[in-house]
Amino acid sequence: MQVRAIAKDIGISPRKMRLVTNAVKGLRVNEALAILQYLPNAGATPVRKVVASAAANAENNYSLNADDLYILNIVADDSFRIKRVKPRSHGRAARILRRFCHVTVIVSDDPADAGR
């Protein structure tokens, strides 16, 4: 059975978040949480919380065993952008984009779900 958890509007750019999500894609949940605990990237903490939330959803809502779960899919999607203007020389302006992202984690206990 597939169970998901979503974290929305995380204040890290999707490109930086994908470095973290690609490191744990396809791993068992226990292994992924151990790896995320010691990753130096800033995106490791929110991703760790989402993976733990997906595992808790599976365990509490669907009575699945947490030791059998693995990460079927984990995606960092683009969210909104805060647009700002920074003054430059000769009366010009430079645009600053502060990017945000959504992280979606799908965990499963059945290896046959990978084909779906």
Side-chain angles (χ1 to χ4, degrees):
M1 171 172 265
Q2 297 181 6
V3 182
R4 72 177 182 166
I6 301 172
K8 294 189 174 187
D9 303 331
I10 299 173
I12 299 172
S13 71
R15 183 176 179 180
K16 292 179 183 177
M17 194 65 82
R18 284 185 197 110
L19 295 172
V20 177
T21 58
N22 290 338
V24 297
K25 189 180 286 189
L27 296 178
R28 291 197 166 277
V29 170
N30 296 336
E31 295 172 10
L33 291 174
I35 289 171
L36 289 169
Q37 186 173 3
Y38 295 107
L39 270 180
N41 303 45
T45 303
V47 170
R48 184 171 182 263
K49 288 181 180 181
V50 181
V51 171
S53 176
N57 288 344
E59 189 174 0
N60 295 322
N61 298 341
Y62 299 101
S63 301
L64 299 177
N65 190 1
D67 296 331
D68 297 337
L69 296 175
Y70 68 95
I71 297 175
L72 186 65
N73 195 8
I74 182 168
V75 179
D77 292 326
D78 197 21
S79 179
F80 67 93
R81 297 172 183 178
I82 295 177
K83 299 173 183 87
R84 297 189 177 123
V85 175
K86 185 172 185 177
R88 292 297 187 185
S89 61
H90 300 287
R92 295 189 179 102
R95 176 169 256 187
I96 295 175
L97 293 177
R98 171 87 194 274
R99 292 176 170 89
F100 288 74
C101 71
H102 303 310
V103 176
T104 304
V105 178
I106 300 174
V107 296
S108 176
D109 63 341
D110 187 14
D113 284 343
R116 292 181 188 170

